[in-house]
Amino acid sequence: VVVIGTRDHRVNKTYPFYSRSNSVIFASLAGKYDYDLVVIGGGSGGLACSKEAAQLGQKVAVLDYVEASVRGTTWGLGGTCVNVGCIPKKLMHQAALLGTAVKDAKKYGWKIPEPVSHDWATMSQAVQNHVKSLNWGHRVQLQDRKVKYLNMKGSLVDEHTIRGMNAKGKEMTVTARNVVIATGGRPKYPTHVPGALEFVMKWPHVGLECAGFLTGIGLDTTVMVRSIALRGFDQQMSRLVTDYMEAYGTRFSWDAVPKKVEKLPSGLLQVTWTDTQSKQEHQDAFNTVLWAVGRAPETKTLNLKQVGVELNEDTGKVIVAADERTSMSNIFAIGDIAQGRPELTPTAIKAGKLLARRLAVSFMLNCDCFSSVPTTVFTPLEYGCVGLSEEEAERRCGKENVEVYHAFYKPLEFTVAERDAGQCYIKVVCEGHGDQRVLGLHFTGPNAGEVTQGFALGLQCGFTYAQLRDTVGIHPTCAEELTKINITKRSGLDATVTGC
């Protein structure tokens, strides 16, 4: 398998007059319109917005339709995350982790008959079954909240009129006081590369993660990287992730630009690429080629410009204000389609819910969490982070005004299993003066998402290095190493943790 490309991206408040427990219901204000709110797009953000608005008494409809991919693939309600993104990716990552656990188990005394093998069909069917259960669950939730679900492709006729077209070409129109665009994005294909459309599969945005779990279930996998891995993330952490993956068995072709893909008589796919440093051309053959070069916003068929919605000419995304409002006062955009917003499911959900509250009850709070969003890359050695990278902190504050505390540690789980922990690392980026407010926190190691999620609350609340050090750790855990961190990069001292 060859994977071309790697992943690229990058409120805890009190609501005094909003209470689910009191079952506050607000009357529909639709009036001359069919609906108070129509949402175009049934992904994480669109569904969250529609369900929240309906729960607050709004009359709501959701239009969702999945165009078949180049290879004819379609999926159900729930968007990228549920169907072809976060959920299946994490489940397949778990399959790979279990393979590693089987190897570790022998060192812990388990007698496991050889050979141990993985069955793709069994895993694939199990993952698809779970995804289909989520599709069905979303439909049931919409029905329970009395949200009208229309399996139709939506586009705008004017600022209050939406046209829907079903798979048979039948059209209908509905009107709404407010409209939310939440159509997300679809995978990019490098159409300038011969063979890219005919022979290659596409995964939306998770190149390193795909390569990691494919290696983990026993497939010979190569990642082709044009320049750097994990663009937008802390690059020291990125190098630790890829170093671990190379030791784990994933091959990397760095500084590589694909030139063409050809199908050989044997059925294998021959990839030709150019090394941007040496300018030399290389070839290799693979059973499968997977593009992971990002997504493009699904805006082209929505008729947005014609009704006055302003788009970013470079990205094609919708330009939005702090309250998700577009250039049209009653049309809003959330999630991946909105310019300047993180392409992450939790931020789309948060923005959708808060938007629904603002539209339903004149709720004034905007989603102000975009600058401190925690995220995790589910590679074989997981990487979790929240806040600023070291590079970004230095760019904003100046290198002399940033203090970085760091440590190399060894997870207890790795000891008996005799696993290399050379890339297990934590880094806390702080202001270099005063109370040393924490600007960013980075962690590579087991269960990185679980670790990072907890510390994200602290960063959201503006915690300091002193408060981190004053926190009592849970022993023995990887997370407790963050509460003991005391060596600065500036000191030049050995940052390797010793003892327990």
Side-chain angles (χ1 to χ4, degrees), residues 93-125:
H93 170 62
Q94 176 63 15
L97 292 182
L98 289 171
T100 300
V102 168
K103 296 175 185 176
D104 289 352
K106 298 173 185 177
K107 296 287 181 67
Y108 281 91
W110 287 93
K111 304 297 183 184
I112 299 173
E114 298 284 358
V116 176
S117 61
H118 179 268
D119 183 65
W120 176 273
T122 299
M123 177 193 72
S124 178
Q125 188 60 58

Side-chain angles (χ1 to χ4, degrees), residues 258-383:
K259 188 174 179 181
K260 61 182 176 180
V261 181
E262 301 169 289
K263 192 165 188 176
L264 301 175
S266 63
L268 294 176
L269 299 177
Q270 180 174 273
V271 179
T272 303
W273 71 93
T274 302
D275 185 310
T276 60
Q277 297 299 314
S278 68
K279 308 303 180 185
Q280 292 183 335
E281 195 173 276
H282 302 275
Q283 289 182 333
D284 205 347
F286 305 91
N287 296 98
T288 305
V289 179
L290 175 69
W291 293 111
V293 292
R295 290 172 290 175
E298 245 336 49
T299 54
K300 291 182 179 178
T301 62
L302 294 173
N303 204 38
L304 296 177
K305 281 189 176 181
Q306 287 77 1
V307 301
V309 175
E310 187 177 354
L311 303 180
N312 182 294
E313 293 298 331
D314 294 327
T315 65
K317 293 189 175 188
V318 181
I319 296 173
V320 294
D323 63 353
E324 329 305 335
R325 195 182 305 269
T326 71
S327 52
M328 300 298 291
S329 62
N330 72 303
I331 300 177
F332 303 80
I334 58 174
D336 293 5
I337 202 170
Q339 181 64 32
R341 299 296 192 252
E343 295 186 3
L344 295 168
T345 294
T347 54
I349 292 172
K350 175 69 76 174
K353 287 183 176 181
L354 291 180
L355 174 58
R357 295 171 194 171
R358 290 195 300 274
L359 295 178
V361 297
S362 299
F363 187 65
M364 298 307 295
L365 184 64
N366 294 328
C367 188
D368 62 355
C369 60
F370 295 130
S371 62
S372 56
V373 177
T375 190
T376 293
V377 184
F378 291 102
T379 37
L381 184 70
E382 296 177 3
Y383 166 35

Side-chain angles (χ1 to χ4, degrees), residues 12 39 61 64 79 85 95 97 139 149-150 155 159 187 200 205 249 298 323 340-341 366 426 448 453 464 471 497:
N12 190 21
V39 178
D64 186 70
L97 292 182
R139 296 191 67 163
Y149 167 56
L150 300 170
S155 61
E159 65 266 38
V200 180
H205 62 293
E298 245 336 49
D323 63 353
R341 299 296 192 252
N366 294 328
I426 52 180
Q453 182 68 78
T464 65
T471 301
V497 174

Side-chain angles (χ1 to χ4, degrees), residues 150-185:
L150 300 170
N151 184 205
M152 308 183 87
K153 186 171 185 176
S155 61
L156 295 175
V157 177
D158 58 45
E159 65 266 38
H160 292 289
T161 307
I162 301 92
R163 177 187 293 111
M165 178 184 293
N166 67 15
K168 296 180 179 179
K170 183 178 180 181
E171 293 187 5
M172 66 174 289
T173 60
V174 295
T175 60
R177 179 179 299 274
N178 292 305
V179 179
V180 172
I181 308 297
T183 49

